[in-house]
Amino acid sequence: MDYREILKNKQRIVVKIGTSSLSYPNGRMNFHSIEKLAYVLSAVRRQGIQVILVTSGAIGVGAGRLGLTRRPNELAKKQALAAVGQAELMKIYQRFFEEYNQIIAQVLLTKDVVSITSRNQHAKSTLLKLLEMDIIPIINENDTIATYEIEFGDNDTLSAIVASVVNADLLVMLSDIDGLYNADPRTEESAEIIHSVLKITPELEKLASGAGSSFSTGGMITKISAAKICLKCGIDCLITNGSDPAILFDVLAGKEVGTHFVANTENIAHHV
Amino acid sequence: MGKKKQTIVVRIEISTLLGTNGRINNKKVDRLAMVITNLHNSGKHVLVVSSGAIVLGSEKLKLPQIPNEQIDMQATAAVGQAELIRCYQRHFDEYNQIIAQVLLTSDIIDYPKRVENTRNTFNTLLDMSIIPIINENDPVSTSDIEYDDNYPLALIVANIAQADFIVIKMETNGKYLIVPGNNHKAIVVDDETELQERIDSYCQVLVPGDITGDIRFPSSIGEIVFNN
């Protein structure tokens, strides 16, 4: 069976973009990449597909705004930079999305959006309302009050939670890796991308947690747990390289890029 | 308690920044950015609590009027939050002042860890000479949105930041209301110059030694006791 066929008919997608896809290795903003992302998402939205963007990058932007040359290690400093950078980052997104006449909204969430029912309902209804209004919500962790994603996930977990809250049918995680490999691509020449994953087995998790596989802040492990959340909710999940955001067109055309975690729609655990 | 900088929470109602056409008046925002930056430059720690996301969201979405359904207000606020901070950013930039965006919901007081996180963020921002601009996080708020009434949020921020004053720019006459903590009487001042003077003189009276630990503020606007 060609699992990629399923990706051609997605109606509500969550796209997560990592810090590494928004900035250069020296920490500076990659405007070219952000502009392209705004174009791609606006174009996808115009096809009638509902889009939510989960973005990282606030700390890096904050550091740039303050002229710091390196990211601080201290948590409170990171939080402060995130608060400065969040405002700046939204301004940048606004500017680029305006080019395509696309209205965006800012929603800052914490992970407990799933566990606290009333909060879940409010966040969910706000997001659905925004989608109905053809607006692209741009989501980030509210780093001032919660620090989970700063410390661990680079928003990987948050993006899966968002996908489950709005009943999305696809989560695409754009990062600096092409997908999940069957061996460490930097040491093993024969390493190949695993294009389809039907079940997340312990062996697979071991592959992801193996030495040298933490390519970005989030690393492969948090991506696999995000994929797990998705599969549990019957949501397809795809990990691919976001250095050119136009790859999203390929994903939605069913082309074989990245690693596709295939949702088993016959066996969906009932979710929130 | 060591030598703590005097800390001021300035509460802005968006209605004080609108022109007669109901739209944002950039001249007023610019003036406000100047006054707040100046307070900060005079050596105080300043935090700003502002409403306005729904008004700016409505403008952005070209809505004929402010929505009154809860869900529409939340969606409009999500659009407007980004616009509001962008608007402040533009004007504070003129005075070379860096700002930060902080979104809180009023139930934060039920989560000690979040209060601690937020206090840490505030302190770090203030130490870095950055002015935090705080809004109610309406899109995820679980309480009813109270359009344009953010005194409760200002109070929460004042408690978290252990502020010495809350300054309110008043909707009715554009004057400033200075509310000191710990039952000192509130005063109304006519303009920015007087605001700066009164705060300076207050600061000399309320020496840091005067303030031990928690500072209490009136729990609602109605409870504020005036001096004149």
Side-chain angles (χ1 to χ4, degrees):
Chain A
M1 182 182 171
D2 184 1
Y3 297 109
R4 296 298 173 129
E5 281 293 311
I6 325 170
L7 301 185
K8 288 185 180 173
N9 293 312
K10 295 305 184 189
Q11 296 305 312
R12 182 177 292 164
I13 67 171
V14 175
V15 177
K16 185 251 154 177
I17 189 130
T19 307
S20 57
S21 308
L22 294 172
S23 50
Y24 290 106
N26 64 9
R28 300 231 169 216
M29 295 305 298
N30 184 338
F31 289 125
H32 189 66
S33 208
I34 299 173
E35 182 178 30
K36 197 129 189 208
L37 180 70
Y39 159 68
V40 171
L41 296 186
S42 302
V44 169
R45 227 276 313 140
R46 218 149 290 192
Q47 291 166 26
I49 298 172
Q50 296 182 327
V51 183
I52 292 177
L53 175 65
V54 177
T55 186
S56 305
I59 297 176
V61 178
R65 178 77 170 92
L66 296 172
L68 306 182
T69 46
R70 67 169 78 166
R71 276 170 74 113
N73 291 322
E74 194 195 330
L75 184 58
K77 266 256 162 68
K78 286 187 193 169
Q79 288 179 277
L81 291 188
V84 173
Q86 179 65 28
E88 200 73 14
L89 183 62
M90 285 312 294
K91 185 177 85 182
I92 295 167
Y93 275 127
Q94 264 169 327
R95 191 162 286 198
F96 287 122
F97 275 97
E98 267 167 16
E99 295 281 316
Y100 303 102
N101 233 337
Q102 175 62 53
I103 294 181
I104 58 171
Q106 173 186 242
V107 181
L108 295 188
L109 295 176
T110 47
K111 235 160 59 87
D112 67 9
V113 74
V114 270
S115 52
I116 299 175
T117 319
S118 56
R119 205 185 287 287
N120 178 345
Q121 284 309 320
H122 280 77
K124 179 179 183 167
S125 52
T126 302
L127 290 172
L128 294 182
K129 182 72 191 182
L130 290 167
L131 292 176
E132 185 194 307
M133 294 164 79
D134 292 340
I135 293 165
I136 296 181
I138 301 191
I139 297 176
N140 199 354
E141 185 186 46
N142 194 350
D143 292 323
T144 298
I145 60 171
T147 57
Y148 177 83
E149 297 290 347
I150 285 191
E151 293 174 272
F152 310 107
D154 195 33
N155 283 343
D156 288 338
T157 316
L158 185 69
S159 67
I161 288 173
V162 168
S164 77
V165 166
V166 300
N167 300 320
D169 41 25
L170 174 65
L171 166 65
V172 179
M173 288 191 269
L174 301 175
S175 76
D176 57 352
I177 38 171
D178 296 329
L180 180 64
Y181 283 85
N182 60 4
D184 189 339
R186 290 175 305 177
T187 51
E188 307 237 0
E189 250 178 64
S190 61
E192 282 178 10
I193 289 192
I194 306 173
H195 283 297
S196 305
V197 173
L198 297 180
K199 195 166 180 259
I200 298 172
T201 59
E203 292 77 46
L204 197 85
E205 285 184 88
K206 217 168 153 193
L207 257 182
S209 62
S213 66
S214 54
F215 297 86
S216 65
T217 339
M220 212 21 150
I221 304 169
T222 50
K223 286 183 180 56
I224 297 288
S225 33
K228 257 184 163 171
I229 296 173
C230 286
L231 293 194
K232 217 163 53 184
C233 300
I235 301 166
D236 283 283
C237 177
L238 198 132
I239 299 171
T240 191
N241 194 315
S243 58
D244 181 358
I247 200 162
L248 190 63
F249 293 137
D250 293 340
V251 171
L252 296 174
K255 290 189 187 158
E256 202 162 68
V257 290
T259 300
H260 175 198
F261 295 83
V262 186
N264 178 358
T265 41
E266 285 156 28
N267 187 25
I268 304 169
H270 199 73
H271 64 283
V272 282
Chain B
M1 207 168 155
K3 256 189 169 176
K4 173 176 162 280
K5 268 198 187 182
Q6 299 289 343
T7 302
I8 305 164
V9 172
V10 182
R11 173 206 178 218
I12 309 296
E13 281 182 26
I14 194 65
S15 46
T16 62
L17 300 178
L18 303 178
T20 42
N21 58 0
R23 295 175 149 261
I24 275 284
N25 181 324
N26 282 304
K27 252 174 111 175
K28 291 185 179 178
V29 185
D30 183 74
R31 183 80 191 156
L32 183 76
M34 188 276 273
V35 171
I36 290 171
T37 305
N38 204 58
L39 267 180
H40 171 261
N41 289 354
S42 73
K44 318 285 186 284
H45 276 158
V46 187
L47 303 98
V48 177
V49 175
S50 171
S51 64
I54 297 176
V55 170
L56 271 95
S58 304
E59 261 186 42
K60 178 79 180 174
L61 294 166
K62 302 190 173 71
L63 304 180
Q65 61 199 38
I66 307 285
N68 45 28
E69 293 273 331
Q70 175 85 3
I71 174 67
D72 295 327
M73 286 168 103
Q74 289 189 305
T76 309
V79 174
Q81 271 178 354
E83 291 293 323
L84 180 67
I85 197 71
R86 187 187 193 181
C87 172
Y88 277 124
Q89 228 169 1
R90 197 161 37 218
H91 292 285
F92 277 96
D93 268 352
E94 291 288 319
Y95 302 97
N96 217 0
Q97 176 59 51
I98 293 178
I99 60 170
Q101 182 184 32
V102 174
L103 298 177
L104 301 179
T105 48
S106 344
D107 63 359
I108 185 170
I109 34 180
D110 300 331
Y111 302 85
K113 181 68 194 163
R114 293 190 169 182
V115 169
E116 187 195 324
N117 279 332
T118 305
R119 180 171 290 152
N120 287 341
T121 307
F122 283 165
N123 287 340
T124 311
L125 287 169
L126 296 170
D127 284 344
M128 293 166 87
S129 275
I130 295 163
I131 295 179
I133 310 269
I134 300 122
N135 298 125
E136 180 93 32
N137 196 358
D138 287 326
V140 298
S141 173
T142 52
S143 52
D144 284 348
I145 295 182
E146 286 172 58
Y147 166 62
D148 221 21
D149 178 14
N150 50 17
Y151 182 75
L153 185 64
L155 194 61
I156 289 169
V157 169
N159 285 326
I160 295 178
Q162 292 160 321
D164 305 284
F165 305 98
I166 299 178
V167 170
I168 299 168
K169 186 161 165 58
M170 295 196 295
E171 190 185 352
T172 43
N173 50 16
K175 294 180 178 180
Y176 293 89
L177 174 63
I178 305 175
V179 185
N182 291 344
N183 299 325
H184 292 276
K185 282 182 178 159
I187 51 164
V188 177
V189 297
D190 287 334
D191 58 24
E192 292 85 7
T193 319
E194 208 188 336
L195 173 71
Q196 185 76 52
E197 283 167 7
R198 288 311 278 261
I199 289 206
D200 286 340
S201 57
Y202 252 132
C203 286
Q204 283 167 12
V205 184
L206 305 172
V207 284
D210 216 37
I211 296 152
T212 48
D214 284 348
I215 297 155
R216 293 178 314 281
F217 286 96
S219 60
S220 72
I221 292 270
E223 280 180 28
I224 296 170
V225 181
F226 294 89
N227 206 10
N228 55 345

